Amino acid sequence: MSDESTHPQNDTDIHQLDEDTVARIAAGEVVERPASAVKELVENSLDADASSVDVTVEAGGTELIRVADDGQGMSEADVRAAVREHTLTELDGLEELESGVATLGFRGEALHTIGSVSRMAIRSRPRDADGAGTELAYEGGDVVSVEPTGCPAGTTVEIEDLFYNTPARRKFLKTTATEFAHVNRVVTRYALANPDVAVTLTHDGREVFSTTGQGDLQAAVLSVYGREVASSMIPVEAGGDELPPGPLESVSGLVSHPETNRSSRDYLATYVNGRAVTADAVREGIMGAYGTQLGGDRYPFVTLFLAVPGDAVDVNVHPRKREVRFDDDDAVRRQVDAAVESALLEHGLLR
């Protein structure tokens, strides 16, 4: 039998994808749902030193996402540059990029990526500038127009028709309720991480929550979760010799009474050097501290901040920096366990 009959020829031609298609596919990997875009934009606002961040979404973010801040703002040149690929407006060189835990987002990279798969408008004016600001319209990766506009200092980014040009990605979005739950989780994380910033979330014209921005973590918990949860939270504060040996310099924040719990891990808000992340070692340390005080598959409300030297944690194990890996997970687990257990014991909440 000839080799040709064994391996029939395939007449299908193989073509290299054009740059626009490659860009949209890559963008879809980073911006996988509306909450991904919200996360990038909120991080940009926080990195821009905003004291207030207003997030508005419609239909779970599939029809509209608007993030408005009173941060530093951008000049026309900055706005034009911000939508170009691989533009990092907050970092200077590779050294800062490698220590990416220090800043939350890269404004230019996020805007270019989101704009590749949506219709986007950016309005911005620097804080110290008089006169008009700049409005840039960006659609599917192309600048449509740049015009002067009247706007307050700061930046507003408005996204419509997310994934309009990547129908395969849009098809895999869930219900409006599910997509909004993801958005809510993201905005909640950053509202709790930044109690000195007034954060408002609005969905389909209804205000979901609004924090005061007065720097009080307990007040932020009250705004986000309500009075029952806020009244059940106790402080955690441990550092130095109060912690077992390990990479963590300090563990601080709030955890709830064992009786105030939920069946979902969504309320375990943990932060490493200010960045909202998940880490098995941290979650296991928290749950270990509660021991048998929680029923099976029940989780407390937690807002916990971990300080760690940058060279002891890897923030690049997940493409969207959602997860981190520590040099010594076992030590981190013991440190978190000890800090939370000490707080619970101090308040007589462990038996």
Side-chain angles (χ1 to χ4, degrees):
M1 184 177 292
S2 71
D3 186 61
E4 184 174 346
S5 62
T6 306
H7 302 286
Q9 294 295 314
N10 188 339
D11 293 333
T12 302
D13 292 332
I14 298 175
H15 300 283
Q16 184 172 354
L17 295 174
D18 63 85
E19 290 185 5
D20 286 344
T21 301
V22 171
R24 287 201 296 270
I25 292 172
E29 292 302 314
V30 175
V31 184
E32 59 183 350
R33 63 190 337 141
S36 307
V38 170
K39 173 183 180 293
E40 299 290 344
L41 296 179
V42 170
E43 287 184 347
N44 284 345
S45 295
L46 294 171
D47 278 343
D49 192 34
S51 62
S52 71
V53 180
D54 294 328
V55 180
T56 300
V57 297
E58 294 180 5
T62 60
E63 293 184 5
L64 172 72
I65 297 170
R66 182 188 303 115
V67 177
D69 68 56
D70 64 351
Q72 295 171 351
M74 294 181 285
S75 66
E76 179 182 334
D78 288 339
V79 173
R80 287 179 179 272
V83 296
R84 291 202 296 266
E85 189 174 10
H86 306 313
T87 302
L88 306 186
T89 62
E90 287 123 3
L91 301 182
D92 293 317
L94 182 60
E95 182 177 345
E96 286 194 55
L97 179 59
E98 289 176 340
S99 61
V101 75
T103 58
L104 295 174
F106 311 142
R107 185 184 288 276
E109 190 71 6
L111 293 177
H112 169 79
T113 300
I114 296 167
S116 296
V117 290
S118 70
R119 296 181 173 92
M120 181 172 70
I122 305 169
R123 292 182 294 278
S124 192
R125 180 169 69 84
R127 283 176 178 164
D128 57 357
D130 296 326
T134 301
E135 179 167 359
L136 182 147
Y138 196 71
E139 185 172 318
D142 296 318
V143 175
V144 176
S145 64
V146 182
E147 300 175 347
T149 188
C151 63
T155 301
T156 297
V157 180
E158 195 166 289
I159 300 164
E160 295 182 323
D161 298 332
L162 188 63
F163 303 133
Y164 80 96
N165 56 354
T166 51
R169 175 66 65 181
R170 190 174 181 93
K171 182 177 69 174
F172 282 101
L173 294 179
K174 305 301 182 183
T175 65
T176 294
T178 297
E179 294 302 333
F180 177 68
H182 286 283
V183 170
N184 192 1
R185 190 176 306 122
V186 165
V187 182
T188 292
R189 288 288 191 270
Y190 288 109
L192 294 175
N194 300 274
D196 56 337
V197 178
V199 178
T200 300
L201 174 61
T202 302
H203 183 221
D204 289 343
R206 181 181 69 87
E207 183 177 282
V208 180
F209 68 77
S210 182
T211 63
T212 64
Q214 295 177 349
D216 185 339
L217 179 57
Q218 192 94 25
V221 170
L222 174 64
S223 297
V224 171
Y225 291 139
R227 188 167 303 281
E228 176 195 354
V229 173
S231 63
S232 80
M233 303 294 271
I234 63 169
V236 176
E237 192 68 50
D241 294 340
E242 299 170 314
L243 293 173
L248 300 185
E249 296 171 334
S250 66
V251 180
S252 61
L254 297 170
V255 298
S256 69
H257 289 215
E259 296 83 3
T260 305
N261 57 68
R262 296 291 185 271
S263 61
S264 169
R265 296 177 181 177
D266 290 348
Y267 304 97
L268 294 177
T270 54
Y271 307 87
V272 173
N273 296 351
R275 179 186 290 278
V277 297
T278 60
D280 289 342
V282 177
R283 185 179 67 250
E284 290 165 5
I286 293 167
M287 300 306 294
Y290 279 85
T292 59
Q293 296 299 95
L294 289 171
D297 298 324
R298 304 297 293 184
Y299 299 90
F301 284 82
V302 171
T303 302
L304 212 57
F305 301 91
L306 281 59
V308 60
D311 59 1
V313 59
D314 183 1
V315 301
N316 295 310
V317 298
H318 188 280
R320 286 167 293 282
K321 293 184 170 63
R322 288 178 182 166
E323 301 170 10
V324 296
R325 181 183 297 124
F326 298 96
D327 286 351
D328 190 341
D329 280 350
D330 289 338
V332 168
R333 189 180 298 109
R334 289 192 295 270
Q335 288 182 298
V336 172
D337 188 322
V340 175
E341 182 181 48
S342 176
L344 293 169
L345 284 169
E346 184 178 342
H347 287 78
L349 297 174
L350 292 181
R351 294 192 296 270

